[in-house]
Amino acid sequence: APGALLCALLWAVAAAEPGGGPTPGAFGRVYRGAVNISAERLYAFAYGSEPGQVDAVRVYVNSSSENLQYPVLFVVRQQKGVLSWQVPLIFRGLYQRTYNYQEVSRTLCPSEPAPETGPSEQIIFVDVASMAPFNIAYELLVTRLENFQLETNKPFNFTASPSQPQYFLYKFPQDVDSVIIKVVSDAVYPCSVVSVQDIVCPVYDLDHNVEFNGVYQSMTKQAAITVQRKDFPGEQFFVVFVIKPEDYACGGSVPSSIHGNVNRTWNLQRTKNLQVTIVPSIKKSVYVQAMLFSFLSFLSFYLGSVVVAFVHYIRVRRKASAERLSPEDGSGIMTSSHPISASTPEGSSYGAIDESGSSGGRQLSSPERGPPAGSDTDSSVEEESDFDTMPEIESDKNVIRTKVFLYLSDLSRKDRRIVSKKYKIYFWNIITIAVFYALPVIQLVITYQTVVNVTGNQDICYYNFLCAHPLGVLSAFNNILSNVGHMLLGFLFLLIVLRRDILHRRAMEMKDVYTLDYGIPKHFGLFYAMGIALMMEGVLSACYHVCPNYSNFQFDTSFMYMIAGLCMLKLYQTRHPDINASAYSAYASFAVVICLAVLGVVFGKNDMWFWVIFSMIHVLASLALSTQIYYMGRFKMDGPDSDLGIFRRAAMVLYTDCIQQCSRPMYMDRMVLLIVGNLVNWSFAIFGLVYRPRDFASYILGIFICNLLLYLAFYIIMKLRSSEKLLPIPLFCIVATAVVWAAALYFFFQTLSSWEETPAESREKNRSCILLGFFDDHDVWHFLSAAALFFSFLVLLTLDDDLDTVRRDKIPVF
């Protein structure tokens, strides 16, 4: 019988041991005794093991002694390993604090007999000893674990503490290639660690060694680890649960004192109830569906653009056919019969205003008076100069640009070729910035991902672990895939702009009168830059989501600042084509903003001095820019008295308009816009100064977006006030932009993680997937924000299409 065989085995062991041999032990029985330097105790526990059956044994020990000089030593010997510890068990915390535990329990590394060996007998020896010259009492209890193996989709509840860690075995079912280990607890503290380790003895299950092997993450109330079958050749693994002796790693506090009763009370509070559930992850077919969904969703935008372009082509062809059949047709080519004179003498009164109807835009500086489109000269002097250098011309510009009622012809007087080259610098500069910015970013995030994969430390990256689907070396492929929309729609926008650019060039070569003298002057450099910025936002957002954390947050926001800035510049350039900012100063301004964003994240959490300085800079910059726009009507700020001249002129305007005369402002519309804009910006400055928001990068982005929306709303209102109309396409784009942005922002504010907190606190915000079982709320934000930005760009591109048949001296500037 098996019982008789075990008794005989224990008797043989006892007979072989000198000094009386080990005491045969029984599972589930408490053994009490005392040890000293000359007396130790040895117990032997024997049990049978069947093939395919995993037997786990847990040893509980306790000693009332708190003498750290003479601890009780416990050594457990198994067939393939030795496990030892002391009581009191000492843990070290922050600032070399020590925490002592008198009660310890450990699970022994389980043994599983090979199928070919058949049933086998196992013996465990437990040796209790101490070097103390006096007796130290102890208690010993050895039990066999009945629920050592976790089952799929079946929650399991248990309790752990720093001196009583737990671990369990999980075997992959035949039809499952990937699982998610979900761990929850009702209590935030004590801080704990969840680890997944291969079937190797010893198991690292104490606070000081749990990070030595496998994959691990800290936890307060929630944790989730995705495990793939391919990572474990034996198709099984241990799930280890360790409670930390203090909560600093999870954002908690540490005790002010750890001596005497305080230490004992603190230790008694370190018990945590946990529930673990292992559920199958998604199958490979879901990856395929998600990729098809991502690409087909945005390729549908390409199909829609082709349909719109085809309809537009058909309408143009019909209109051209109707004009050919009309005897009154002027063939669309400018002749001397056109109201705009073609015989202006060369060199006559550049910049003068002709109030009889042609305004200032019909002189030699008009596009049609320059060299033909095919004879562009790529002169660096032309590109980088301000084109007008003589003092009398500067004086002339001041006369024109400070008129109460400005028309587009007053601000589109420079040579079209040269102005276009100036705006193309935006495009080439942003490509250069993108290349130099993206390459080190890609290298850095590859390094981050490699470190995560090699060390197993999942506290490095702030994923939504409940919806982080790995692919290859990437831990969260879904967060990267969802950025494909920015790249596809950015490229589509470039194609749309390129088509318009080609059609415009053809019309210029044909000297089409509606292209030369009607509508908003077409300069596409900023549009190209916006398309590249949208694509790069997708690339850098994908790089950021390879391993989102405190060190690389700026990757995700840098090009968002650029997009917002470029949109504002484009909106301003529409009615002020001659006086927009140069590419160099614009990108330098973006660089300053990005530097402020980095400084804000580093210093903005607790340092009041930073918020005071930033708020002052914000308010002064708003005033300076407002003065330029209101009084001078241009962005340029590099005059000889630019340092104090702007503020001196602002004070003069305030004195003459509001105090001395108390009259109606000279430029009422601009004044209303700038007052509202300054109130908004001052409100942001006061809000930042009072509340000091932790997410400084989003705070600055909010300032940019609010200013852009304010300016766009002002532009549309002024456009409607000027009896201009919105065509169906821009009207559709405006509605689509509003709807999609509203939906996108809803998902943006569904916070799923936060690198401003500890990794464990961030995981409390994690949520399951909501789209196709593959994408989470933030992925939906990526999809919708890409579409919203695309529609926003189309609004800027098509907003003034209704003016293509309106003379420029009839188009008001606002």
Side-chain angles (χ1 to χ4, degrees):
L5 182 60
L6 287 176
C7 291
L9 186 61
L10 288 175
W11 180 86
V13 170
E17 286 282 342
T23 301
F27 291 103
R29 176 183 172 184
V30 178
Y31 293 89
R32 296 180 176 86
V35 292
N36 55 48
I37 191 171
S38 58
E40 64 177 271
R41 298 289 182 267
L42 180 63
Y43 299 88
F45 298 85
Y47 62 95
S49 182
E50 297 288 338
Q53 173 186 340
V54 180
D55 291 292
V57 175
R58 191 165 180 86
V59 179
Y60 299 82
V61 297
N62 184 21
S63 174
S64 58
S65 172
E66 297 183 11
N67 193 325
L68 300 181
Q69 295 296 322
Y70 299 105
V72 181
L73 306 178
F74 293 87
V75 179
V76 181
R77 288 177 288 161
Q78 297 176 264
Q79 179 178 338
K80 295 182 180 180
V82 175
L83 183 65
S84 64
W85 65 89
Q86 68 179 50
V87 177
L89 184 61
I90 301 174
F91 292 97
R92 296 197 178 275
L94 196 65
Y95 308 125
Q96 299 303 311
R97 296 170 181 265
T98 58
Y99 302 89
N100 309 325
Y101 288 81
Q102 275 73 46
E103 184 176 352
V104 180
S105 64
R106 306 282 298 277
T107 302
L108 306 184
C109 200
S111 59
E112 180 180 356
E116 61 270 13
T117 61
S120 64
E121 303 300 330
Q122 303 288 333
I123 300 180
I124 298 173
F125 293 100
V126 181
D127 188 6
V128 187
S130 176
M131 299 298 289
F134 48 84
N135 285 338
I136 299 179
Y138 70 88
E139 291 183 353
L140 169 68
L141 171 65
V142 180
T143 61
R144 298 181 67 175
L145 297 180
E146 297 181 357
N147 297 305
F148 181 68
Q149 186 168 335
L150 299 174
E151 299 180 21
T152 306
N153 290 320
K154 186 176 181 180
F156 180 72
N157 297 279
F158 60 96
T159 302
S161 71
S163 63
Q164 301 183 51
Q166 298 268 17
Y167 66 86
F168 304 96
L169 175 70
Y170 180 78
K171 293 184 178 181
F172 280 98
Q174 290 297 322
D175 58 340
V176 175
D177 294 322
S178 177
V179 295
I180 301 177
I181 304 169
K182 299 181 179 180
V183 188
V184 295
S185 174
D186 293 332
V188 175
Y189 301 116
C191 179
S192 55
V193 176
V194 181
S195 173
V196 176
Q197 301 178 19
D198 203 356
I199 307 294
V200 178
C201 295
V203 177
Y204 298 99
D205 63 347
L206 292 177
D207 176 58
H208 64 272
N209 63 17
V210 68
E211 300 175 359
F212 290 176
N213 187 25
V215 177
Y216 61 92
Q217 57 183 232
S218 57
M219 169 189 164
T220 52
K221 297 182 69 173
Q222 180 173 258
I225 300 178
T226 300
V227 183
Q228 296 178 284
R229 181 196 292 264
K230 66 180 182 63
D231 296 330
F232 295 93
E235 299 183 353
Q236 56 186 349
F237 55 82
F238 289 134
V239 187
V240 184
F241 304 90
V242 174
I243 309 300
K244 300 185 78 67
E246 60 187 21
D247 300 323
Y248 176 78
C250 293
S253 60
V254 294
S256 57
S257 173
I258 56 170
H259 300 292
N261 292 331
V262 175
N263 182 85
R264 189 177 297 108
T265 303
W266 175 262
N267 292 344
L268 290 174
Q269 298 172 350
R270 306 303 293 170
T271 299
K272 188 163 190 172
N273 297 318
L274 298 163
Q275 182 186 84
V276 57
T277 309
I278 300 182
V279 299
S281 185
I282 60 175
K283 298 182 179 296
K284 294 180 180 177
S285 58
V286 180
Y287 281 82
V288 177
Q289 293 173 10
M291 286 188 275
L292 288 175
F293 170 81
S294 301
F295 284 95
L296 292 178
S297 297
F298 293 106
L299 289 177
S300 64
F301 283 80
Y302 284 74
L303 180 61
S305 300
V306 170
V307 171
V308 172
F310 179 74
V311 171
H312 181 262
Y313 173 77
I314 296 298
R315 292 180 61 186
V316 169
R317 290 294 300 269
R318 288 179 178 175
K319 184 178 179 181
S321 300
E323 289 176 352
R324 280 197 296 268
L325 297 174
S326 173
E328 295 84 14
D329 176 59
S331 75
I333 306 299
M334 188 196 70
T335 64
S336 57
S337 63
H338 192 271
I340 300 175
S341 173
S343 59
T344 305
E346 183 174 343
S348 64
S349 61
Y350 173 85
I353 306 173
D354 180 7
E355 298 292 351
S356 63
S358 63
S359 189
R362 300 298 162 258
Q363 309 303 325
L364 181 64
S365 57
S366 295
E368 69 272 20
R369 309 298 182 258
S375 63
D376 285 1
T377 56
D378 195 7
S379 167
S380 60
V381 176
E382 288 179 340
E383 288 180 10
E384 300 179 10
S385 70
D386 285 324
F387 320 122
D388 303 323
T389 57
M390 294 182 293
E392 61 269 22
I393 294 178
E394 287 295 330
S395 175
D396 214 19
K397 286 197 291 186
N398 285 335
V399 171
I400 293 171
R401 296 175 188 177
T402 55
K403 287 167 48 180
V404 177
F405 299 105
L406 274 174
Y407 291 94
L408 189 59
S409 55
D410 297 321
L411 299 181
S412 57
R413 302 159 53 81
K414 295 177 181 176
D415 190 299
R416 183 201 63 84
R417 300 173 304 109
I418 299 174
V419 176
S420 290
K421 286 178 183 178
K422 180 182 178 182
Y423 288 124
K424 282 180 182 176
I425 298 175
Y426 278 95
F427 172 66
W428 294 113
N429 277 11
I430 202 168
I431 288 180
T432 305
I433 292 170
V435 171
F436 278 92
Y437 196 99
L439 289 179
V441 166
I442 293 171
Q443 289 178 305
L444 181 63
V445 296
I446 289 174
T447 302
Y448 272 124
Q449 185 68 72
T450 303
V451 170
V452 171
N453 295 341
V454 171
T455 65
N457 183 3
Q458 295 201 350
D459 283 353
I460 296 176
C461 305
Y462 287 72
Y463 304 119
N464 174 17
F465 287 91
L466 286 174
C467 188
H469 302 297
L471 181 67
V473 298
L474 301 173
S475 300
F477 174 68
N478 53 300
N479 293 151
I480 298 170
L481 176 64
S482 58
N483 285 285
V484 71
H486 294 88
M487 291 175 267
L488 290 176
L489 294 184
F491 185 69
L492 174 60
F493 183 73
L494 288 176
L495 293 178
I496 293 173
V497 174
L498 178 62
R499 174 182 173 274
R500 286 204 166 208
D501 194 4
I502 292 173
L503 293 176
H504 178 69
R505 289 181 186 178
R506 289 177 181 172
M508 291 297 296
E509 291 172 358
M510 297 172 59
K511 294 196 179 327
D512 180 74
V513 67
Y514 288 107
T515 303
L516 294 171
D517 299 300
Y518 286 66
I520 301 294
K522 303 294 192 296
H523 303 295
F524 296 98
L526 274 169
F527 284 128
Y528 284 123
M530 289 159 57
I532 295 295
L534 181 55
M535 294 181 69
M536 287 308 303
E537 171 59 25
V539 172
L540 292 178
S541 178
C543 289
Y544 166 74
H545 284 92
V546 169
C547 182
N549 59 55
Y550 172 85
S551 303
N552 60 8
F553 70 93
Q554 67 273 19
F555 302 164
D556 195 28
T557 54
S558 296
F559 273 82
M560 286 297 289
Y561 302 142
M562 290 195 184
I563 288 172
L566 289 172
C567 288
M568 282 190 280
L569 287 172
K570 182 60 198 176
L571 204 54
Y572 187 83
Q573 177 225 327
T574 303
R575 306 269 173 159
H576 311 77
D578 285 358
I579 55 175
N580 214 335
S582 71
Y584 308 113
S585 59
Y587 288 127
S589 302
F590 299 153
V592 171
V593 170
I594 293 171
C595 289
L596 284 174
V598 175
L599 292 174
V601 172
V602 176
F603 299 109
K605 292 182 180 179
N606 303 309
D607 297 321
M608 188 67 183
W609 62 266
F610 171 82
W611 283 99
V612 172
I613 295 174
F614 175 78
S615 299
M616 290 176 61
I617 293 174
H618 186 187
V619 171
L620 291 175
S622 299
L623 287 173
L625 189 58
S626 299
T627 306
Q628 282 285 14
I629 295 174
Y630 175 78
Y631 197 76
M632 303 178 191
R634 48 179 164 168
F635 275 69
K636 183 180 175 185
M637 299 177 66
D638 56 354
D641 58 347
S642 60
D643 292 338
L644 297 174
I646 276 183
F647 300 103
R648 192 181 301 118
R649 180 164 288 187
M652 185 65 67
V653 170
L654 200 62
Y655 176 74
T656 56
D657 282 3
C658 300
I659 299 176
Q660 189 180 44
Q661 300 176 357
C662 198
S663 60
R664 184 178 184 274
M666 184 179 294
Y667 314 113
M668 189 63 185
D669 295 328
R670 271 182 275 174
M671 176 63 80
V672 171
L673 168 68
L674 295 175
I675 288 176
V676 175
N678 275 275
L679 288 176
V680 169
N681 282 280
W682 295 354
S683 300
F684 267 106
I686 294 171
F687 174 83
L689 201 58
V690 173
Y691 293 99
R692 285 177 285 175
R694 298 183 67 182
D695 190 354
F696 187 79
S698 297
Y699 170 74
I700 289 193
L701 188 58
I703 294 174
F704 268 84
I705 292 176
C706 281
N707 280 276
L708 173 59
L709 293 177
L710 179 66
Y711 191 18
L712 180 61
F714 168 80
Y715 189 95
I716 294 175
I717 292 170
M718 292 301 300
K719 181 179 176 67
L720 297 176
R721 271 193 61 192
S722 303
S723 300
E724 299 175 9
K725 58 184 178 180
L726 295 174
L727 296 180
I729 289 182
L731 184 59
F732 168 79
C733 292
I734 291 172
V735 174
T737 299
V739 172
V740 179
W741 267 124
L745 289 174
Y746 169 80
F747 288 101
F748 175 75
F749 289 112
Q750 305 298 311
T751 307
L752 304 178
S753 62
S754 173
W755 46 257
E756 296 168 345
E757 301 172 336
T758 63
E761 291 173 319
S762 172
R763 270 186 278 276
E764 292 181 29
K765 299 178 171 65
N766 289 178
R767 288 194 231 160
S768 300
C769 305
I770 62 169
L771 180 63
L772 300 177
F774 191 84
F775 298 111
D776 60 19
D777 296 76
H778 198 72
D779 296 321
V780 177
W781 149 255
H782 286 161
F783 288 134
L784 294 178
S785 64
L789 284 170
F790 177 71
F791 282 125
S792 302
F793 288 3
L794 289 183
V795 170
L796 298 181
L797 183 65
T798 62
L799 188 57
D800 289 312
D801 284 355
D802 60 298
L803 301 178
D804 285 348
T805 56
V806 179
R807 288 167 54 97
R808 287 175 192 167
D809 57 353
K810 304 297 183 185
I811 300 175
V813 172
F814 42 77

